[in-house]
Every structure is written in C-alpha cells, then in structure tokens.
Amino acid sequence: MTAVDRAFLEAVLLGTVGGLISVQILLRRLPFFTLAMTHATFPGVVLAAIAGADLYAGGGLFGVLVVLGVLALSRRPEQGTTTAIGIVLSAGFALGVVLLSARDGFSKDLTAYTVGQILTVGPGDLTAVAVVGVIVLALLSVAGRQLTFRAFDPGGYAAAGYRPTVIDMALLLTVEAVIIVAVPAVGAILAVAVLVAPAAIARLWTHNVTAMTAIAVAAGIGSGLAGVLISTRYDVATGGTITVVTGTLFALSLAATTTWTAITGSRRGRRQAADRPASAVTGPSHLEEVG
Amino acid sequence: MSALTERALAELLLTGGICGVLGVQVVLRRLAFFTETLGHVTFLGVVTAAVTGTDITIGAGIAAMGAVAVMGRGGVASRPHHQRSGVMISGALALGVVLISTRPGFGKDLSAALVGSPLTAGTGDITVAAITAVLVTGTLTLAHKELVLAAFDPAVTRALGYPTRLIDGGLLALLAVTVVTAVPAVGATLPLALLVGPAASALLWTRRIIPATLIGGLLGAAAGAAGLALSLHYRVATAAGTAVICGALFIVAATTTLAGRARQTRLHRPATGL
C-alpha cells in the first residue's frame, strides 16, 4: 500500500466518522465548542510529541481536561459559554505554540500539527480512525434516539427520567475522540471542518436526521477523496484542500437551496418562507437571517 | 534593551492595550466566535496579499471589512453557534493554507501569519497601532452611552431613535480594524486571546463598564509586556506567550471571584449550547 493509497483510505474513513458525528454536533449547536476542543487538543499533542509519549494518549488526556475546563468556566453567569470557550480556544492553541517554539525548527512542526499531513499517515493512524469509527457507530446505534431527544427537548429529556449529564459526557468524549484521530491527517485547526461542515451541508438539503446523516457522510467522503486527489495532482497542502472542497460544497449547496426555495416560494407567493429556506432542524433562533 | 526589543515592546503594549479596551465590548456582546472568524478571514487576506505581493495591512483590511459586511448583517455576529461561521472559519483558513503552500518553504510564512512575529514589527506597524489606539479610545469615549445601551438592550435603543445598525456596524468595523492592527504582532489566530482574556477578567472583578475598560486595557498591555519578557527569558514564541498569559489571567480571575458569586451563579445561569 503506497502513501497515496493510505491517504485515500484515511480520507474515506475520516469522512465517514466526521459525517456521522457532525450531525450530532450541529443538532446540539456545538460548532464553536468543537472548534475550542480542536484548538485545545493541540497543546496535548505537542506535549506528547516533546515527551516522546503516544500522540493519541497525550491529545486525548488533554482534550478531556479541556472539556471539563470549559464546562467549569462556563458556569459563570456574567459571561456565558462563548467567552469561556473563546479563551480556552485561543489560549490553548497559544500554549501549544509556546511549547513547540521551545524546540528548534518549530515552523515545520507547527505546520504539521496545525494543518496536518495526511500523506504521512501510517497503518496505526488508520486503525485508530477505524476504532473511533466503531465507537461512533456504537454510540449512534445505542443512543441515537436519546441524542435526538436530548437535542430537541432538553426539558422533556430530563423529565422522562434520563440523565442529561451522562449523555452529554458520552457525546463530548466521542467528539474529542474523533478530533484526536483527525489531527494527524487534517491538523488541529482544520479538524473542525471535518467535524462541522458535512452536517452544515446536509442540513441545507433535508430536515430529516437520518437523511441528513447519510448526506453528511457522503459529503465527508466526497470532499476527502477530492481533496487528496486535487492536492496530489497540483502539489498543494492536502488538509487545506480537503477543507476548501468542503467549503465549496457548502457554498454551492447554499446557493442551490436558496435559489430553489426562492423560486418555489415566490411561485406560491410565500415570501416569508423564501426568506428562511431551512428553518426546522436546530430551531429558529440562529437561522432567521438566512437570505 | 536593543532597538529591536524596544519596538517589540511598543507594539505589544499598544496591541495589548487596544485589545483589552475594546475587548470589554466583545465580552458584553459575546462576539468571541465572530472575532475568531474575523481572525481567520484576515489570515486569508494576509496570505493573499503576501502571495500577490501587495501591502499586507491593505490585504488584511479588505478581508476583515468584507467579513464584517457579509457576516455583520442582521445580528449574525452575536449568534455564537452559527454554522455558517463554522464553515467560514475553517474554509478561510484552509484557503489561506492552500495558497501559502503553493510557495516553497511555506512553513515559516505560515507560522508568521498564524501566530505573528512581534520581534520583526517595524515603525510602520507601530504607527498603525498608535492610530488604531486613538481611533478605539476616541470612539469608545464619544459613543460610550450608545454602545453600552445597544449592547444591553437593542430593542430600547431602537425605540429611543438611535441608529442601531450604525452603532453595531461601527463596533464591528472597529473590531475589524483592531484585528488587522494586531496581525503583525500576534498573528491571525491569537487576537481573540488578547481581546477576550483581559477584558473578561476585568469584567469578573468589576461589573462597571468604565473601570472594567480601564482595567482591561492595563491588563492587556501588561500581558503584552509579560509575554515579551517570557519569550526573552525562555526563548519561546512571543505572541503565543502573551496569549497564554491572557488565558491564565482569566483562570486566576475566575477562581478568585468564584466563591463570592457562587450564590448568583445558581440564580441566573445562562442558556448554554449544551
């Protein structure tokens, strides 16, 4: 198996895993939280690299600490989660840079950790993604309904006798696991594209959670394959190309669905609906400005 | 102290001060996510300018203003969990990385654009920072009442006849100018730490806006100076050291004020994304 074959396999696996988990991230409105987790996992990976420990173990341990840290800091009434996440995000990333800069030749390492090196993934990385994929599948098949219930009706979920803390922790730890296996391939600061964008694309096309998951997986795999293909042909950074392809898919989907709702909406004389092409899934609060 | 470190000190003091002062508005309006998006889009502007050979400040400025124009409409900026920002945040950064990777030896340029290099700041950068400092403090002094009112109660502000769009747009434009100013010193990914860390700490210690703004400015400037000292002593990245100090400040502020406000926490917990 050549490096390019492994890169393709890694892209397919990551696209699948990222697509599956991204729908849950979107349903719970966690994109910013995910961004913070990716940035804050970065110092853990660097520490592990400096200490010569396992990268996955270092990143994982740090990531769990970060999850707990954000949850603790966001319990302040004055500023809410956004500020705490913002601080953890930028300070965590900075800590990684500080640690890296203590070593010589840090620009090259920084590049590898921040934007990834999918062409250098080994069989170990592939196994790690596959294992996390199994974990994600297990979580979704065992607790998929519960996750949806929790996302749409937190109050009802708690009243029905479930424990929100348990399912939240399970989800966040799974997200963290996906981030850790995504870092070698697409880097710490681009991992969020794998974890958020596929569902953002899918949500434009459908409101059904199952269909959304399917589209998200297809978008994840498609942009991964296209990214590796384009980057090997034109010799540009692979992690960046994958993300750019995902972004382009999103832009095209947005244009297509907005046009479609505008056409069908005006034909039926419903300007209101045309202004809001897809207002269902995550509730109206952050979708009002579409169009 | 050599001329090099003097320039770095001036640049970091100015940048830290501006960010600390304006950061209070960012925290009050919960613009952290927007600021991060702004930083990433600015990164794309910096890279495009560097690749095409135009002035970096101009490239960064155009990109940042474009982001404000696209995302600032209709209060998008204040919605922290907006997925379009999520796509934009990684898309802009990735496009920048792809662009920069077309040039040989791109690792060094990339790290300078990402995390800044205050030690190479020239007199031009310091002049830009000084102008921005005057602009920010001037605007915050003149429009203090309007800004605070609009941050706390947009509906009432509109009802009283204030131009809310102008106030919000002006603030976002000011934020864009600040991020662009901060890029040479702390790169495109770290202004968020300087904007949010000192200001959020100040707002934990006092709930009054004017004292918080002053404390935020002082803390920001102090963090800049401390980051430079840290980097000279231990030979680590200067801007990143500054950002880590900003994060540490917030952790100190959060723990020192935790006990006193434990009761209030239970009374009004905000709605979170979780």
Side-chain angles (χ1 to χ4, degrees), chain B residues 210-234:
Chain B
I210 295 175
T213 308
L214 295 176
I215 297 175
L218 287 177
L219 285 178
L228 183 63
L230 195 72
S231 86
L232 292 177
H233 271 282
Y234 298 101

Side-chain angles (χ1 to χ4, degrees), chain B residues 121-149:
Chain B
T123 40
D125 296 324
I126 297 172
T127 318
V128 171
I131 295 171
T132 308
V134 173
L135 196 65
V136 167
T137 46
T139 313
L140 288 188
T141 316
L142 292 177
H144 172 72
K145 200 172 62 183
E146 287 79 2
L147 281 171
V148 174
L149 186 59

Side-chain angles (χ1 to χ4, degrees), chain A residues 157-251:
Chain A
Y157 183 81
Y162 293 113
R163 308 247 308 269
T165 330
V166 177
I167 192 100
D168 285 355
M169 282 311 282
L171 178 64
L172 291 179
L173 290 175
T174 313
V175 171
E176 181 58 39
V178 178
I179 290 173
I180 293 160
V181 294
V183 164
V186 291
I189 47 180
L190 294 182
V192 71
V194 175
L195 283 135
V196 173
I201 295 169
R203 192 203 61 92
L204 293 170
W205 294 103
T206 175
H207 301 167
N208 179 304
V209 176
T210 316
M212 203 190 298
T213 312
I215 297 177
V217 169
I221 294 176
S223 44
L225 287 177
V228 175
L229 204 65
I230 294 171
S231 84
T232 44
R233 178 155 307 175
Y234 297 102
D235 203 17
V236 287
T238 318
T241 314
I242 294 175
T243 314
V244 171
V245 172
T246 321
T248 314
L249 265 183
F250 178 78

Side-chain angles (χ1 to χ4, degrees), chain A residues 28-73:
Chain A
R28 298 291 293 280
R29 302 187 198 177
L30 293 175
F32 192 35
F33 191 86
T34 312
L35 187 71
M37 281 163 81
T38 56
H39 279 58
T41 305
F42 174 57
V45 176
V46 176
L47 264 181
I50 289 176
D54 186 54
L55 291 190
Y56 293 119
L61 195 64
F62 220 81
V64 172
L65 285 177
V66 169
V67 171
L68 298 175
V70 170
L71 289 178
L73 283 178

Side-chain angles (χ1 to χ4, degrees), chain A residues 39-119:
Chain A
H39 279 58
T41 305
F42 174 57
V45 176
V46 176
L47 264 181
I50 289 176
D54 186 54
L55 291 190
Y56 293 119
L61 195 64
F62 220 81
V64 172
L65 285 177
V66 169
V67 171
L68 298 175
V70 170
L71 289 178
L73 283 178
S74 60
R75 293 173 81 90
R76 305 304 309 267
E78 303 94 324
Q79 290 156 352
T81 341
T82 317
T83 305
I85 293 178
I87 288 172
V88 167
L89 187 162
S90 50
F93 179 66
L95 184 61
V97 177
V98 166
L99 289 172
L100 260 186
S101 69
R103 303 208 302 177
D104 289 334
F106 102 96
S107 294
K108 190 156 162 291
D109 295 342
L110 180 67
T111 313
Y113 289 126
T114 48
V115 300
Q117 295 277 27
I118 201 172
L119 290 170

Side-chain angles (χ1 to χ4, degrees), chain A residues 26 28-29 32 71 75-79 81 83 87 90 93-95 101 107 110 203 237 240 243 285-286 288-289, chain B residues 33 76 79 81-83 93-94 98 101 111 189 193 196 200 236-237 243-244 250 254 257 261 265 268 272-274:
Chain A
L26 192 68
R28 298 291 293 280
R29 302 187 198 177
F32 192 35
L71 289 178
R75 293 173 81 90
R76 305 304 309 267
E78 303 94 324
Q79 290 156 352
T81 341
T83 305
I87 288 172
S90 50
F93 179 66
L95 184 61
S101 69
S107 294
L110 180 67
R203 192 203 61 92
T243 314
S285 70
H286 63 305
E288 284 152 5
E289 75 294 340
Chain B
F33 195 19
V76 186
R79 295 211 175 86
H81 305 285
H82 197 262
Q83 64 233 6
L93 189 74
V98 169
S101 73
S111 53
T189 51
V196 178
V236 292
V244 171
F250 183 70
T257 54
R261 298 218 181 115
T265 313
H268 11 238
T272 68
L274 286 171

